[in-house]
Amino acid sequence: MSEKIFIAVAWPYADGPLHLGHIAGAYLPSDIFARYHRIRGNEVLMVSGSDQHGTPITIKAEQEGKKPGEIAALYHQQFLESWQRLGISFDLFTTTGTANHAQVSQDIFLTLLNKGYIYKSTVSQPYCPHCLRFLPDRYIEGTCPYCGSPGARGDQCDDCGKPINPAELLDPHCRLCAATPQFKDSEHFFLKLSAFRDRLLAWVKQQSHWRQNALNFTTRYLEEGLKDRAITRDIDWGIPVPVDGFDSKRIYVWFEAVIGYLSAAKEWAKSSGDEERWRSFWQEGVKGYYFIGKDNIAFHTIIWPAMLMGYGGLALPYDVPANEFLTIEGKKLSTSRNWAVWLPDYLSRYEPDPLRYLLSINMPETGDTDFSWREFFRRNNDELVATYGNLAHRVLTFVYRRFNGCVPQPGEFDSHSQALIAQAEDTLESMDRLLYRCHFKEAIRSAMSLAQQTNRYLDEKSPWRIIEQDRQASATALYVAISVLSCLKTALYPFLPFSSQKLHQLLGFDGNVEDDGWQLHFPPPGQKLPSPTPLFSKLDEKLVEEETGRLGQVRY
Ligand SMILES: [Zn+2]
Ligand SMILES: [Zn+2]
């Protein structure tokens, strides 16, 4: 029976372009997972959207003399184009700027307020006497009290990663005018996280299938005790607080952005014509997977589950596959220093599958991994082209020329041929288990090892050499190779959707590779083959120097 799988993916801030860290962290793994479940016949709902609120966007807008909404719309459009070109197959990629999202967020706010999980309290907030405004987290900067870094913000120090209260900053100043802020009282709403600590701890103890990073971080955080957190801010960009007297304040972005997973499911249901359809992905027992980077764990294993527990009646996350970080050429990725590879730049110069391949086979699943242009070049030429692409191309070209452009009729399989077919079937089975548990790196490695085995098989059988003496043996070996290629187009589909679809057609099949299901579909002997073209292109080594030279340069 088919299973329902809800796939929730971190919401990118619409304040700048996507880079490879985002892709390796959340978007590629979630897409692999969604494609795997779809080809397996499961019902998938995969949602996310651009996070339009929050101070990163208002700061960017002030720097560029634009309205926050303009900045958000610009990057939202760019995100949509990037997903399409990279093949990230969202069922819905919306934004937090919709009326639907505001309404769902306010409903959760009011329900938690009525149940006593949200309360009002007065806090002392930094206030700029020159700008005449309160300074939310990112509008105040100073020296980190923990590590001494001069660029710490009011919410966190990026150098040591510690969360900070604005009052703790040494030498604090307003980011807009550099004046020293004063502290003034302001009334805000707080989420009573402390009320959920014991329930969360009991719940997390049952999640033995989570990755170690999420499990350890969450347990440690909960054992240290939970502090209530303010969920409103003195800003004018964001979702209005649905309570009288709070006109000059907004619901803070970290509270409403996670609600996007629910509001997006509702929006998707509405546009499907069945407004209640979202419920089938949110009821108890449906597995919801939250794909995020490791810097986002607390929001998805503590805060969002606490909000859901307080609200009641909705499924808690089943798994939170948080990836570690991607470094670039051995250094920590930094957008401000432009030590990053930007996705739109990549897509303007290269095909999507080589990047998907490299980031899959080198995915930061259990520890940080490094991206380098040298490795990109090497893995494209030595693995994608040499191991997989050439295998398909030499088999299909030879068959096309020597067997009238049709899948050859095989004779009886010898033990070597039988063993290779058995290995292909085993590969699909073991990949099925790995993909189900979000072990992507291991899964793609087993597919590539099947391609290597097939190359060895062909080296031994040499169908090109024996065709004159023993046409039947040649046809059998080629048929076995074609069958393994048919297995590979399925096995690699979640990772390399573009080349898998192409191979599906080159093998003479119609329609979409996804509709074939997770099985070894033997191409019927006699099936007509189109004229073959290569799956991948070799790259020129010059790119390594060119691309490396772009890193860290000022962008205009
Ligand atoms: Zn620090
Ligand atoms: Zn100021």
Side-chain angles (χ1 to χ4, degrees), residues 128 130-131 174 176-179:
C128 178
H130 179 253
C131 300
C174 168
L176 300 172
C177 73

Side-chain angles (χ1 to χ4, degrees), residues 143-149 152 156-162 164:
T143 303
C144 172
Y146 301 101
C147 75
S149 164
Q156 131 165 349
C157 168
D158 276 345
D159 270 322
C160 68
K162 289 239 164 60
I164 292 176

Side-chain angles (χ1 to χ4, degrees), residues 12-240:
Y13 266 130
D15 71 337
L18 296 157
H19 54 66
L20 297 200
H22 295 121
I23 305 308
Y27 303 101
L28 179 60
S30 58
D31 183 64
I32 293 168
F33 196 62
R35 288 177 184 275
Y36 154 69
H37 276 291
R38 292 192 197 109
I39 194 171
R40 213 169 165 273
N42 288 329
E43 209 182 322
V44 169
L45 175 58
M46 173 178 173
V47 297
S48 181
S50 52
D51 188 342
Q52 303 214 337
H53 298 140
T55 48
I57 288 162
T58 53
I59 286 177
K60 177 98 171 179
E62 272 157 35
Q63 282 166 351
E64 297 193 359
K66 293 189 173 125
K67 294 202 174 77
E70 285 176 72
I71 298 283
L74 173 83
Y75 288 111
H76 180 67
Q77 194 50 42
Q78 199 189 79
F79 294 165
L80 289 173
E81 282 160 24
S82 291
W83 302 145
Q84 207 201 352
R85 296 182 58 194
L86 190 61
I88 305 295
S89 55
F90 285 110
D91 294 291
L92 177 67
F93 187 81
T94 179
T95 85
T96 55
T98 65
N100 168 69
H101 177 68
Q103 188 253 316
V104 175
S105 301
Q106 290 177 337
D107 168 51
I108 291 198
F109 184 99
L110 288 173
T111 305
L112 295 177
L113 184 66
N114 292 337
K115 289 186 165 185
Y117 294 126
I118 286 179
Y119 63 90
K120 239 189 292 189
S121 179
T122 298
V123 280
S124 172
Q125 291 282 77
Y127 182 87
C128 178
H130 179 253
C131 300
L132 302 178
R133 58 177 287 177
F134 282 103
L135 299 175
D137 309 343
R138 290 184 185 226
Y139 279 81
I140 176 166
E141 280 183 347
T143 303
C144 172
Y146 301 101
C147 75
S149 164
R153 299 187 311 253
D155 56 349
Q156 131 165 349
C157 168
D158 276 345
D159 270 322
C160 68
K162 289 239 164 60
I164 292 176
N165 273 318
E168 293 175 300
L169 281 176
L170 308 172
D171 185 25
H173 52 269
C174 168
R175 197 164 151 180
L176 300 172
C177 73
T180 303
Q182 303 163 346
F183 279 81
K184 272 178 81 162
D185 281 353
S186 181
E187 200 172 39
H188 282 287
F189 284 100
F190 281 72
L191 176 64
K192 206 173 182 178
L193 278 172
S194 53
F196 296 97
R197 182 195 175 247
D198 294 349
R199 276 168 78 186
L200 284 167
L201 205 49
W203 173 68
V204 169
K205 288 214 164 102
Q206 296 161 15
Q207 313 303 322
S208 55
H209 56 282
W210 285 7
R211 286 187 188 161
Q212 281 306 316
N213 59 0
L215 215 46
N216 293 347
F217 177 90
T218 309
T219 310
R220 207 168 51 231
Y221 202 104
L222 288 170
E223 279 169 353
E224 283 171 11
L226 274 184
K227 284 198 198 118
D228 298 348
R229 289 183 70 156
I231 56 164
T232 50
R233 289 291 190 279
D234 296 278
I235 44 176
D236 57 9
W237 175 244
I239 294 177

